[in-house]
Amino acid sequence: MTGIETSDERGGGTRFEMMESESTFRYSLSHRENRDIYFNVDTYWGSIENSATFDESGESLPENLYDVGVGGLYRQDLDNGWTVGARIRIGSASDKLFDTGDEEHLRSLFLLRVPHTKYTTGVFMANINTAGAFPVFPAIGYAFPLSRRAYALVGFPIIAAGGQITDKLSFSFSYFPALNIVARVEYAATEEWIVYAGFTSWARFFSRAKRDDEDDRIRLQDSRAFFGGTVQLTKRLSLDGKVGYVFDREFGEGDDFDERKDNNIRLDDAGFVSVGLQLRF
């Protein structure tokens, strides 16, 4: 659960407050040395208190935005040393879920890893999102070690890295243009307590019900810098909390990037607080 403090709309003086709630359920259908299969259900709910309207259309921003999906993860190591993987999600993202077929979407990621040398690997990816800015987004990269416990992936248009710096200090970073940036550093203070700091920049897309143009999408974009901690309460239950600052906040509605930039609602920067629970069975 994330709460973003009330802030004035940039240049408009409109009050704006937002609460977010996310949940994920993952169940292992098969877990072997050479194969993993998982079933996933995930949800997002954004509750918005505001009287803002989009600049050009004059339409009101919905009070509630939802994103619900079901799908799965698959990984298989082949006999020739290659690895194939896929993530598939079918769902709906709207102020009224499944109002018509136009609010439904398919999101998937397909992966192929081809070893080159003992320590390096070629990586081929295809991201498909029927509700996003780019329905099909391919990528190619080359993975190599930075050290005995860290790696890097450099390619077009993706960059990623991660691993252990010391026994207690780890990091991760990924950059996928037009999709997201995620960076995080963790320190394992004890076996039960982890502290971290990070940065994210990403976008969510929603299809407002009863819109005039079925190709229009609401794009929620923001960037967040934060720090927090995770404590292991029991063997299966952990509590996470973080505080941070959200900026570059914007809602835009349209059928492409330029239209969403013109028909938008820009918001002031704000602080946020987030609390979460993780339960393992």
Side-chain angles (χ1 to χ4, degrees):
M1 179 72 73
T2 301
I4 303 175
E5 71 178 21
T6 302
S7 61
D8 292 335
E9 182 189 353
R10 191 168 299 171
T14 302
R15 303 296 289 173
F16 187 97
E17 188 171 355
M18 185 170 183
M19 293 289 295
E20 294 177 311
S21 178
E22 297 182 70
S23 64
T24 301
F25 171 80
R26 177 182 293 182
Y27 180 75
S28 177
L29 299 174
S30 176
H31 180 65
R32 302 178 182 177
E33 183 177 351
N34 68 333
R35 186 181 69 186
D36 287 305
I37 304 176
Y38 290 94
F39 170 73
N40 281 0
V41 178
D42 62 89
T43 68
Y44 170 88
W45 170 44
S47 176
I48 304 165
E49 294 185 12
N50 78 106
S51 57
T53 58
F54 290 103
D55 287 342
E56 290 196 347
S57 67
E59 294 284 351
S60 298
L61 183 64
E63 294 181 357
N64 295 282
L65 292 170
Y66 308 93
D67 189 349
V68 176
V70 297
L73 297 169
Y74 171 75
R75 177 197 63 85
Q76 178 77 51
D77 294 332
L78 305 179
D79 293 338
N80 61 0
W82 293 17
T83 299
V84 295
R87 180 180 67 205
I88 298 176
R89 181 185 189 271
I90 299 173
S92 178
S94 179
D95 56 331
K96 295 181 180 180
L97 293 173
F98 303 102
D99 185 63
T100 67
D102 295 330
E103 285 75 54
E104 298 172 7
H105 59 249
L106 168 67
R107 297 175 187 167
S108 59
L109 177 67
F110 298 94
L111 171 73
L112 173 64
R113 297 175 65 249
V114 180
H116 179 221
T117 70
K118 183 178 180 180
Y119 300 108
T120 60
T121 303
V123 179
F124 305 88
M125 300 168 56
N127 186 84
I128 298 174
N129 184 355
T130 60
F134 301 95
V136 180
F137 206 96
I140 184 172
Y142 195 71
F144 55 91
L146 295 174
S147 69
R148 293 180 60 185
R149 297 188 294 177
Y151 75 94
L153 171 64
V154 177
F156 178 82
I158 188 171
I159 300 174
Q164 294 290 134
I165 300 174
T166 68
D167 289 339
K168 293 188 174 183
L169 187 64
S170 61
F171 77 101
S172 60
F173 170 82
S174 64
Y175 170 58
F176 212 143
L179 295 179
N180 63 62
I181 303 172
V182 179
R184 182 172 169 127
V185 177
E186 293 187 356
Y187 180 75
T190 68
E191 291 185 0
E192 294 80 22
W193 179 255
I194 295 174
V195 293
Y196 60 82
F199 170 82
T200 62
S201 180
W202 53 27
R204 289 183 178 273
F205 289 87
F206 304 88
S207 300
R208 181 171 53 82
K210 313 303 181 187
R211 61 198 183 279
D212 294 332
D213 186 344
E214 67 179 31
D215 293 329
D216 283 352
R217 300 287 185 270
I218 293 177
R219 182 178 189 264
L220 165 57
Q221 169 70 47
D222 67 43
S223 299
R224 305 183 187 194
F226 55 86
F227 67 90
T230 302
V231 58
Q232 197 72 34
L233 300 176
T234 68
K235 183 179 180 181
R236 300 184 183 277
L237 182 65
S238 62
L239 173 67
D240 181 86
K242 61 175 175 279
V243 297
Y245 196 66
V246 57
F247 53 99
D248 290 338
R249 305 170 67 197
E250 181 177 346
F251 287 86
E253 185 174 40
D255 62 6
D256 58 30
F257 179 81
D258 290 335
E259 189 170 318
R260 286 189 288 267
K261 291 297 288 185
D262 294 333
N263 186 42
N264 67 8
I265 300 170
R266 294 186 60 81
L267 302 171
D268 283 343
D269 304 341
F272 73 89
V273 178
S274 179
V275 178
L277 286 173
Q278 184 178 66
L279 180 62
R280 296 185 179 91
F281 295 98

